[in-house]
Amino acid sequence: EEDIRSLPLPSELKSRLLGAGLCLVRHCLLTPPAELAARLGQPLDQCRRMQLTVRDALAKCTNDGGGGSGGFRLPDTAETLLLDVARSRAVPSMSASVDRLLQGGLSLCQLTELAGSAGSGKTQLCMQLCASVQLPAALGGLQGGAVYLDTEGSFSPRRQAQIASGLLLHCRRLADRMRQRRLPPGDDDDGNGVEGGGAGGDGPLTKEHLKALNEVSSLTVEQVMSNIYYFRCLSHVQLCAFAHESLERFLVGHPHVRLIVLDSIASPFRYEFDNAGQRNRQLAELAALLTRLAVSCRLAVLCTNQMTTRFGLTDAADSRVEPALGPSWCHVCNIRLVIERLEGGGGGGGCEDQRRRMRVLKHPAVRAGSSAVFQVCAVGVRDAFQDDVS
């Protein structure tokens, strides 16, 4: 059985656990937090964080091949999962309305489908996420890289550079405004918030935010672009071969990657198969692989999808437009989103054609049918009718 001393834990934590007679990993993890707090004489919240630290160390040791877990499978309780959700981050979209809809942004450890018709803005949102995932944690990002699997040839490096430039310009302007206002006299580095907004425009701005903004100010478009790893896949054979044979190895060599974009899943699978059963099996295998990588590497996976018309069996009026690839694909996605272009409807300034609506079809924490409006403008994805978009 796994000894607590074999894990890469701080020596003080090891001594505290051993002193309480918790020599084995399972003793520490299976002991209820309240009982652990009583045995260690520590606050309950601190004991919960301690168990999470031990669990993360065990998972890292197992994933790195450092001896495994001796056949002991780490259990998850609802309380542990809730704590994980509370401390986890998401990939921001640079639209506060979209991030609120998605409970903070594009979720990690999840397979998300983004469906929409041609010209709805799917690729634009994908490229925005590839840039904003690189923001520091203090600004809502993950300070990570992105993998872009392109099956349609719709990725534009010039447009990606334009979006990256817009993101950096936004952060620099925000940093300049805060420098001009200065921090209140006597404000120390205790994290007290000052009035302002983060990269997405929400929440107080602290000295930690200012430090992150200064770091972003030194970034260049070239550095942002160099953290986006692009792979062109011309067929389902190329896509599946790369995903099953090379993608995991690439992620091991690039552990900072926090986002995988597959744009799109429909293109190689929608027309290249005569046998629906074979197509569904390959789709299921690919989805299982992407989901496993999302969980084991703690990253977000976003797959774009096309739209198709499902005709009614008896009445043409029963026809409806829905995401392609059928029910077998929709069931394997943890989160399903649809975006559509909004035509007209006011707003002025010629921005009607830029506005999009994102609607939730399936989400573990959001009611189906919930929606948010945003715009795709020259600098990328922003809130609808946002003034500073040039």
Side-chain angles (χ1 to χ4, degrees):
E1 294 190 44
E2 195 76 31
D3 193 297
I4 203 74
R5 288 166 290 195
S6 66
L7 296 184
L9 294 169
S11 56
E12 180 182 354
L13 177 56
K14 287 184 181 180
S15 300
R16 189 176 301 168
L17 293 172
L18 293 172
L22 301 171
C23 302
L24 300 178
V25 172
R26 65 182 180 89
H27 291 160
C28 176
L29 296 177
L30 296 180
T31 301
E35 181 181 337
L36 190 63
R39 294 180 65 174
L40 296 177
Q42 299 291 330
L44 182 60
D45 288 344
Q46 184 173 339
C47 290
R48 288 171 174 162
R49 290 193 297 269
M50 186 185 304
Q51 287 183 316
L52 287 174
T53 301
V54 173
R55 193 183 71 159
D56 289 346
L58 177 61
K60 183 178 186 302
C61 183
T62 303
N63 292 337
D64 292 344
S69 58
F72 171 68
R73 189 190 184 285
L74 185 65
D76 283 319
T77 65
E79 181 183 36
T80 301
L81 294 176
L82 181 61
L83 289 172
D84 271 347
V85 170
R87 69 173 185 167
S88 65
R89 291 190 167 273
V91 184
S93 67
M94 293 302 294
S95 166
S97 60
V98 170
D99 290 343
R100 283 194 296 267
L101 175 69
L102 301 181
Q103 304 285 296
L106 190 67
S107 300
L108 300 185
C109 305
Q110 304 280 5
L111 175 61
T112 300
E113 175 195 42
L114 178 66
S117 58
S120 60
K122 302 186 298 295
T123 298
Q124 298 293 313
L125 181 55
C126 289
M127 290 191 289
Q128 179 65 69
L129 292 168
C130 286
S132 56
V133 72
Q134 302 184 44
L135 286 171
L139 299 182
L142 298 171
Q143 207 160 354
V147 170
Y148 202 107
L149 306 178
D150 186 4
T151 66
E152 296 187 348
S154 54
F155 179 85
S156 169
R158 289 185 178 179
R159 177 58 176 157
Q160 182 68 72
Q162 190 179 25
I163 290 173
S165 178
L167 177 66
L168 298 181
L169 179 61
H170 173 87
C171 292
R172 286 167 185 158
R173 286 178 175 174
L174 183 57
D176 289 342
R177 287 199 295 267
M178 294 311 300
R179 290 191 193 99
Q180 291 171 4
R181 291 177 53 193
R182 300 178 182 273
L183 288 172
D187 185 24
D188 54 17
D189 293 324
D190 60 358
N192 291 326
V194 296
E195 185 182 351
D202 279 342
L205 197 71
T206 66
K207 281 193 171 182
E208 183 182 11
H209 291 113
L210 279 176
K211 181 180 178 182
L213 284 168
N214 291 331
E215 292 175 357
V216 173
S217 297
S218 64
L219 281 177
T220 65
V221 172
E222 291 75 16
Q223 288 174 310
V224 174
M225 297 288 283
S226 67
N227 265 328
I228 302 172
Y229 305 98
Y230 176 84
F231 298 91
R232 182 74 166 97
C233 301
L234 299 175
S235 67
H236 77 277
V237 175
Q238 281 191 358
L239 174 62
C240 292
F242 174 76
H244 289 284
E245 298 174 11
S246 304
L247 182 55
E248 186 168 9
R249 185 165 61 249
F250 180 85
L251 294 176
V252 170
H254 299 77
H256 67 293
V257 169
R258 286 294 173 265
L259 171 66
I260 296 176
V261 171
L262 173 51
D263 185 20
S264 73
I265 186 66
S267 182
F269 284 98
R270 193 174 179 184
Y271 304 111
E272 297 182 17
F273 286 86
D274 295 325
N275 187 316
Q278 182 185 8
R279 184 192 74 171
N280 291 340
R281 281 194 299 274
Q282 293 202 22
L283 269 174
E285 290 173 359
L286 180 59
L289 172 66
L290 293 174
T291 301
R292 179 173 63 82
L293 293 177
V295 174
S296 62
C297 300
R298 294 195 64 81
L299 50 81
V301 177
L302 178 65
C303 298
T304 65
N305 194 3
Q306 301 168 358
M307 302 294 284
T308 188
T309 301
R310 179 180 291 273
F311 294 98
L313 295 178
T314 58
D315 189 353
D318 293 335
S319 302
R320 64 181 185 274
V321 178
E322 61 182 26
L325 300 180
S328 60
W329 164 253
C330 76
H331 288 309
V332 302
C333 299
N334 307 115
I335 299 171
R336 304 186 69 214
L337 311 169
V338 172
I339 58 175
E340 57 187 357
R341 180 192 292 269
L342 296 180
E343 303 291 349
C351 66
E352 289 89 346
D353 291 340
Q354 300 174 346
R355 295 189 305 141
R356 310 290 195 273
R357 173 182 285 117
M358 176 180 288
R359 182 165 47 89
V360 174
L361 296 182
K362 175 184 175 183
H363 195 292
V366 179
R367 179 175 56 85
S370 301
S371 65
V373 177
F374 65 98
Q375 65 171 312
V376 178
C377 53
V379 293
V381 172
R382 296 293 187 271
D383 278 327
F385 313 131
Q386 186 172 327
D387 295 330
D388 187 13
V389 295
S390 59

